[in-house]
Amino acid sequence: MAAIDAPYPGSAAAAAIFRTCRFTGLKVDIAAQRLIMANAVAAVVFLAVGGVMGLLVALTRWPAVHLLPSEWFYLVLTGHGANVLLFWIIFFEIAILYFASAVLLGSRIATPKIAWAAFVLMLVGAVMTNVAVFQGDSSVMFTSYPPMQASPHFYLGLIIFAVGALIGVGIFFGTLVIAHGEHTYEGSIPLVTFGALTAAIIAVFTLASGAIILIPTYLWSLGLITEIDPLMYKVVWWGMGHSSQQINVAAHVSVWYAIGALTIGAKPLSEKVSRSAFLLYILFLQLASAHHLLADPGMSATWKIVNTSYLMYLAVLGSLIHGLTVPGALEAAQRRNGYTKGAFEWLRKAPWGNPAFAGMFLSLVMFGFIGGISGVVLGTEQLNLLMHNTIYVPGHFHGTVVAGTTLAFMAMTYYVLPLIFQRDVIWPKLARWQPYLFGIGAAGISLFMMGAGTLGIPRRHWDITLTDAMHPFDLPSGGFLMMGLNGLSAVIAAAGGILYIVITVGTVLWGKRLDKGDAPLNFPLHKQAATVAEYGSHTTVKLPGTIILVSIFFLSFVLYYFVNWKYLSEIWLLR
């Protein structure tokens, strides 16, 4: 049974009530626990709404099905982007921030009443935006570029949501200050908390960019401003639209480290190296937004070259470092656990039947091979001309945000349920298959959309056959095949998503209670799981399996990069 502990001394701290987690030994502030639960539940609800919309989008883009009429397609596409790229992910990230601060540091959460106010603001803003979308007069898609104009409460909902999220980030910072001041931990903050701090710092920049552009756009929708310059809007908006995905990267990399510690007792190979990679995210990752602007005439060639040919690769270096240190930490832990034969016994005998580990590792591989490589290609000015504004672009960010972030967050859910909700995961056999089902579907969506985009399939057009167009254009037949395979992949991913929703909701409602009795977990934690809340490195240089995996990644990177330059030379007839 989870023990209720005496609060820390002091006037403010005395009001906090803690319990001790019997699986990790961590002190859990009850107020923080309730806030984590509320944000996680809201996240799953918006994932369900956005996921259904995503399936409808895929079935409409599948030429043989072409499910929705154009009016409904753009409505659903707008709702899909808002619900899965903003509401699902940011609600879950706020839960991660509270977990990484209050729980991992054994601290009370700062100003829980204000944290609840932030949650209410986020919920009201998300619902308000959805209402505007379903009313049918705000089908401006995720980017909402002027001169397309949505209803005033569409923009107002996003602003209110952003204000709530910004307050939540402030609560996270405040909790770090309290934990430091009340000495609830020793030494430096753990790496997972440091990664969450990185995400929070990027979030401040991101939300500020959103406010800078959405507030005047809201006034424009009210008629108080007569015009919004489209280029100015696009530049500032992508400071929010793309940087919000950089919050995701920092957050899901933190989740990778956390799951590694919880499942196999993994420690980072080097705290300094991993933290330096997170710092590269803070300094340079926002520059990746430039790839959305490379075809725009308003930006100077010098700006484009500096951003994409020099500075952006410092951000890529951060991900490359994590691409080495995360699997390296896993291999080092497994070898410490006794799996030392050959180069890959550690990987073969990893806990693949644990959906948390399986989802984490699939997220790691897919984010690197699909999202990472394609992101560098899109960020190269010349190659960008091949894919700009084609369906390659959503293919890329489905590789980062769906196969990367969403799959990592799903994996983390399998430990949020027992550690925070204190419920054991139901249907363990089905749960074991869920990350594979969703991961295979998400990978297919990404790869087939990128393939279709390389063949010229447009990003935003409802009907890729261009029926009744004034100037008909025949797209390659291979593009139609790719969009059909994309539709099939979406069905597979939707099945995995539905399974995740059902397991999660079912566990919360009728899963076996863990706060009464001493029953074991269906997916047990490692005996050294408490390392997730500790500072420390596992230094080693004997990582043959990781070296081979990283070599395969770099070889794939070089080959794909070369193929795209070869394709570009054939199109431009370079001699």
Side-chain angles (χ1 to χ4, degrees):
M1 182 179 295
I4 301 297
D5 297 321
Y8 292 104
S11 57
I17 300 174
F18 292 82
R19 67 174 179 87
T20 299
C21 176
R22 69 181 177 91
F23 300 106
T24 62
L26 298 174
K27 283 183 173 292
V28 181
D29 177 16
I30 300 300
Q33 174 179 290
R34 291 167 180 163
L35 283 160
I36 294 170
M37 292 167 66
N39 281 277
V41 168
V44 170
V45 170
F46 287 107
L47 173 64
V49 174
V52 170
M53 290 179 163
L55 179 61
L56 295 176
V57 168
L59 293 178
T60 303
R61 280 179 166 155
W62 186 350
V65 178
H66 206 47
L67 182 65
L68 299 176
S70 59
E71 295 83 1
W72 273 97
F73 172 77
Y74 291 109
L75 182 155
V76 168
L77 182 59
T78 303
H80 172 61
N83 282 292
V84 295
L85 286 174
L86 288 178
F87 305 146
W88 139 249
I89 285 180
I90 294 180
F91 267 115
F92 202 94
E93 284 167 348
I94 294 296
I96 289 174
L97 292 184
Y98 294 159
F99 178 82
S101 55
V103 177
L104 293 189
L105 300 181
S107 170
R108 62 185 174 89
I109 194 167
T111 59
K113 291 183 179 179
I114 297 178
W116 279 110
F119 171 75
V120 171
L121 284 174
M122 292 174 65
L123 188 61
V124 169
V127 171
M128 186 181 295
T129 301
N130 271 283
V131 168
V133 170
F134 280 107
Q135 284 176 333
D137 53 0
S138 299
S139 300
V140 292
M141 295 175 284
F142 179 64
T143 49
S144 57
Y145 289 154
M148 292 189 297
Q149 188 179 86
S151 298
H153 52 293
F154 175 85
Y155 304 110
L156 182 60
L158 292 175
I159 293 169
I160 292 173
F161 178 82
V163 169
L166 188 58
I167 294 173
V169 171
I171 301 296
F172 168 77
F173 290 136
T175 305
L176 294 185
V177 172
I178 289 173
H180 178 74
E182 297 181 354
H183 307 290
T184 63
Y185 65 96
E186 296 180 359
S188 299
I189 59 175
L191 182 61
V192 175
T193 305
F194 189 87
L197 176 60
T198 302
I201 292 172
I202 298 173
V204 173
F205 166 85
T206 301
L207 295 169
S209 298
I212 288 170
I213 199 59
L214 286 175
I215 291 175
T217 310
Y218 168 62
L219 297 176
W220 172 59
S221 70
L222 290 172
L224 300 177
I225 292 179
T226 57
E227 182 182 1
I228 295 290
D229 180 73
L231 180 59
M232 179 275 295
Y233 174 93
K234 191 173 184 179
V235 171
V236 181
W237 189 92
W238 278 113
M240 181 270 293
H242 198 282
S243 295
S244 63
Q245 312 318 315
Q246 317 315 332
I247 306 171
N248 305 340
V249 173
H252 78 230
V253 171
S254 301
V255 166
W256 293 345
Y257 284 112
I259 293 177
L262 293 171
T263 54
I264 60 175
K267 294 182 178 180
L269 295 177
S270 169
E271 288 273 1
K272 292 181 180 179
V273 170
S274 294
R275 288 169 192 251
S276 298
F278 278 121
L279 288 175
L280 288 174
Y281 283 166
I282 295 173
L283 295 174
F284 299 107
L285 202 54
Q286 294 89 330
L287 299 174
S289 306
H291 82 69
H292 294 280
L293 308 169
L294 292 179
D296 286 271
M299 313 305 295
S300 70
T302 302
W303 181 88
K304 294 174 182 177
I305 292 170
V306 168
N307 271 272
T308 60
S309 299
Y310 299 101
L311 298 181
M312 194 182 78
Y313 292 108
L314 292 172
V316 173
L317 177 61
S319 290
L320 291 176
I321 291 172
H322 289 306
L324 170 65
T325 59
V326 174
L330 299 177
E331 180 175 0
Q334 282 290 82
R335 290 184 180 279
R336 190 170 65 248
N337 292 336
Y339 303 109
T340 58
K341 294 180 181 178
F344 289 112
E345 186 190 23
W346 66 273
L347 190 59
R348 292 195 312 272
K349 295 189 177 180
W352 295 107
N354 185 328
F357 181 89
M360 176 273 292
F361 203 89
L362 289 174
S363 167
L364 168 66
V365 171
M366 293 177 185
F367 177 79
F369 279 86
I370 301 176
I373 293 176
S374 63
V376 175
V377 169
L378 275 175
T380 305
E381 184 176 8
Q382 298 90 334
L383 297 180
N384 184 275
L385 298 176
L386 289 171
M387 298 95 169
H388 182 78
N389 222 26
T390 69
I391 206 163
Y392 188 104
V393 178
H396 154 69
F397 63 68
H398 276 75
T400 58
V401 180
V402 183
T405 303
T406 294
L407 188 53
F409 288 0
M410 286 178 170
M412 190 63 189
T413 303
Y414 291 106
Y415 281 135
V416 171
L417 291 170
L419 298 181
I420 301 300
F421 286 84
Q422 299 182 79
R423 298 274 185 169
D424 202 9
V425 177
I426 64 169
W427 302 339
K429 291 183 179 180
L430 286 176
R432 289 186 178 95
W433 285 101
Q434 185 275 322
Y436 297 102
L437 193 61
F438 184 83
I440 291 171
I445 290 171
S446 302
L447 292 171
F448 293 127
M449 279 204 285
M450 289 193 294
T454 304
L455 296 173
I457 301 297
R459 174 182 179 181
R460 303 176 187 272
H461 205 287
W462 160 73
D463 179 14
I464 66 173
T465 64
L466 303 177
T467 305
D468 297 328
M470 294 180 63
H471 302 285
F473 180 78
D474 293 328
L475 291 164
S477 58
F480 288 78
L481 172 63
M482 292 290 179
M483 294 311 296
L485 294 172
N486 168 69
L488 288 173
S489 299
V491 172
I492 296 172
I498 291 170
L499 191 56
Y500 167 78
I501 299 293
V502 172
I503 291 172
T504 301
V505 174
T507 298
V508 171
L509 293 179
W510 63 78
K512 181 177 60 180
R513 295 189 62 171
L514 299 173
D515 56 345
K516 297 181 178 180
D518 298 316
L521 292 174
N522 282 326
F523 302 113
L525 284 81
H526 191 267
K527 60 183 179 181
Q528 295 180 344
T531 57
V532 71
E534 297 174 358
Y535 177 91
S537 305
H538 181 89
T539 54
T540 179
V541 294
K542 297 180 179 180
L543 301 170
T546 299
I547 298 303
I548 293 172
L549 293 176
V550 171
S551 299
I552 293 172
F553 171 80
F554 276 113
L555 180 61
S556 303
F557 195 165
V558 170
L559 289 175
Y560 186 70
Y561 204 65
F562 169 78
V563 166
N564 278 280
W565 275 104
K566 183 70 168 59
Y567 184 42
L568 180 66
S569 70
E570 292 174 353
I571 291 176
W572 280 4
L573 298 177
L574 300 179
R575 295 289 184 265

